[in-house]
Amino acid sequence: MSHSATLSDYRTALTTPGARLPVLASALARLPVAMIGLALLLYVQRATGSFATAGLTSAAALIGVSVGSVLQGRVMDRMGPTRPLCAMAGLTLLFVASEVWAIETHQPEWLVITLAFGIGLTEMTVGSASRSLWVRLVPPGPVRQAAYAYEAISMEVFFILGPGLAGLMTALPWPGTGLVAGSLAMVVGGLAFALTPTVRAWRPSRDELRPTSLLGALSSPGMRTVALAALGFGVTIGFVEVAVPAFATEAGAPTMGGLMLSLWSISSVIFGVLYGVRPWPRAMHLRLPVLLGGFALLILLLALPSTLFGLAMALLAVGILITPQSTAHSAAIELVAPAGTTTEAFGWVITSVTLGLAIGQSTSGQLVQNFGTSWSFLAAAGAGLVIAALVWALRGTVKQSTLTTAALVKVEEKLG
């Protein structure tokens, strides 16, 4: 069940009838995914002068995303994406406008943090819908795996552009430019995606309308293990996303923080394309803990440099294992998620990653403020290794789900 994809499979997926307009619209909607949180963090830091407050505000937004992505995913599985995404568009604009007012008028910290949670809660989860759309557009096999790899690789492209744009816009005369511009791009792209003919024709399947348990997708033990792996991925990145801008500020180049974070996404995209052609380890139950553990070990490199150039080189090295993890999470969903919960399942992956980001960012802000950036990088590596060990201990749940899925596919092949 671990298909590899060729370059021609990528082309086939992206030229599938009905895919082009949603792909283009979702690209615009997801461009600010890595931009909004960082833009908010840098905006608050510029307004308050505190990385600790900025970290808590950004963490609140990420916690909001972690809740909203699951709720939106569950609703989309029941009624399709169009109506939920349109509703979220208006709420997102309302919360962003309120947050700007609160920051500009120096409202209490608790209000700024609460509104940040609202921004995250209503953030349009186009990524979940886009990923689930491929189940309806292409059959199981290498082409669908290529589509999932495209989703992960495109996200990394946005992670290249997002932090850089956030850093540049924060340096403009008004530091809130990045937050507003990113939110507008998300709303415009999200509405365009929701209103494409392919997405509007989305009708829930019989499995998706079937009653599910309160846990939904998480009722599967294998899905819970995938969510844990995604949590570890988010925690490690969250530490780094605060420590790198702080390192740049200490080096006397505060505007370089966002640009520095873009560097590890460059190597991530390049290596991600190659990894999609020949993924390793082949077995998914081994791939999840090995990739997370390897990523955590590479993060130790970030604690060594004393200059921005040295940190840049380390970030390029660390980035090679980012996209492989995102691709593995998407591919694993097909193996472990209960029938009829694909959008919600991907929402749980987003929830796990963003919750991890929130934990990492908030903890990193305190470490940076009190002990320095090196301690934050070391803590990121330590947290990643601990969670990788837990995923390794639970790897049997993913293996069992994989065997069950393989058996079902054989039954379907015999019947069809």
Side-chain angles (χ1 to χ4, degrees):
M1 294 303 294
S2 181
H3 302 288
S4 58
T6 65
L7 294 179
S8 63
D9 291 325
Y10 286 97
R11 183 170 59 253
T12 300
L14 295 176
T15 57
T16 296
R20 185 167 301 173
L21 288 177
V23 164
L24 292 175
S26 68
L28 176 60
R30 293 181 295 162
L31 171 61
V33 165
M35 178 182 174
I36 291 177
L38 184 60
L40 180 60
L41 185 149
L42 296 174
Y43 182 20
V44 173
Q45 195 278 326
R46 285 279 298 273
T48 64
S50 170
F51 270 106
T53 300
L56 289 173
T57 302
S58 182
L62 291 170
I63 293 172
V65 171
S66 72
V67 176
S69 60
V70 172
L71 296 178
Q72 291 181 51
R74 186 168 293 192
V75 173
M76 288 180 195
D77 280 329
R78 294 286 175 172
M79 64 172 52
T82 298
R83 283 179 287 173
L85 288 176
C86 289
M88 291 303 104
L91 292 174
T92 294
L93 293 176
L94 176 63
F95 275 107
V96 169
S98 300
E99 181 73 302
V100 170
W101 165 79
I103 294 172
E104 292 297 319
T105 57
H106 306 289
Q107 296 299 311
E109 182 179 299
W110 67 266
L111 181 58
V112 173
I113 293 173
T114 301
L115 291 172
F117 174 81
I119 291 174
L121 184 68
T122 59
E123 187 173 297
M124 302 168 75
T125 56
V126 176
S128 295
S130 178
R131 190 267 178 199
S132 294
L133 190 62
W134 292 111
V135 177
R136 290 164 166 80
L137 292 176
V138 296
V143 174
R144 187 182 290 180
Q145 296 306 311
Y148 294 157
Y150 158 76
E151 293 287 328
I153 292 167
S154 64
M155 286 300 293
E156 287 311 310
V157 173
F158 305 144
F159 272 96
I160 291 173
L161 299 175
L165 290 172
L168 290 173
M169 290 186 179
T170 303
L172 294 175
W174 182 52
T177 304
L179 174 62
V180 173
S183 300
L184 288 175
M186 178 173 289
V187 167
V188 171
L191 287 174
F193 174 86
L195 297 175
T196 59
T198 302
V199 176
R200 291 180 65 187
W202 181 326
R203 294 293 181 271
S205 66
R206 185 178 301 174
D207 284 336
E208 289 167 326
L209 293 173
R210 187 179 300 165
T212 58
S213 69
L214 184 61
L215 288 176
L218 283 188
S219 61
S220 162
M223 187 63 220
R224 294 197 291 270
T225 302
V226 173
L228 179 63
L231 177 74
F233 178 60
V235 167
T236 51
I237 290 180
F239 274 99
V240 176
E241 284 190 341
V242 172
V244 167
F247 189 103
T249 299
E250 292 174 359
T255 59
M256 289 293 292
L259 292 173
M260 293 289 289
L261 285 172
S262 296
L263 291 175
W264 70 352
S265 291
I266 294 175
S267 55
S268 175
V269 169
I270 295 172
F271 190 77
V273 173
L274 300 175
Y275 184 85
V277 174
R278 192 176 294 276
W280 185 90
R282 298 289 293 178
M284 186 61 70
H285 69 286
L286 300 177
R287 192 182 308 176
L288 293 170
V290 168
L291 290 177
L292 178 56
F295 184 55
L297 289 173
L298 285 176
I299 285 178
L300 289 172
L301 296 174
L302 301 179
L304 301 177
S306 57
T307 65
L308 281 175
F309 178 79
L311 184 64
M313 295 300 99
L315 284 167
L316 285 171
V318 174
I320 64 173
L321 289 185
I322 293 179
T323 294
Q325 289 184 87
S326 299
T327 304
H329 299 155
S330 289
I333 287 173
E334 194 165 14
L335 305 176
V336 301
T341 64
T342 54
T343 309
E344 181 193 337
F346 195 71
W348 276 112
V349 169
I350 295 175
T351 290
S352 300
V353 172
T354 51
L355 184 58
L357 287 169
I359 295 170
Q361 286 189 359
S362 58
T363 306
S364 185
Q366 302 299 324
L367 287 174
V368 166
Q369 194 85 6
N370 297 297
F371 302 103
T373 56
S374 293
W375 282 100
S376 182
F377 292 134
L378 292 172
L385 287 171
V386 169
I387 298 176
L390 292 174
V391 175
W392 177 266
L394 296 170
R395 67 191 184 280
T397 60
V398 178
K399 184 177 182 179
Q400 183 61 43
S401 296
T402 302
L403 294 174
T404 302
T405 303
L408 289 173
V409 170
K410 288 181 180 179
V411 170
E412 290 176 358
E413 289 175 348
K414 289 179 179 179
L415 293 176

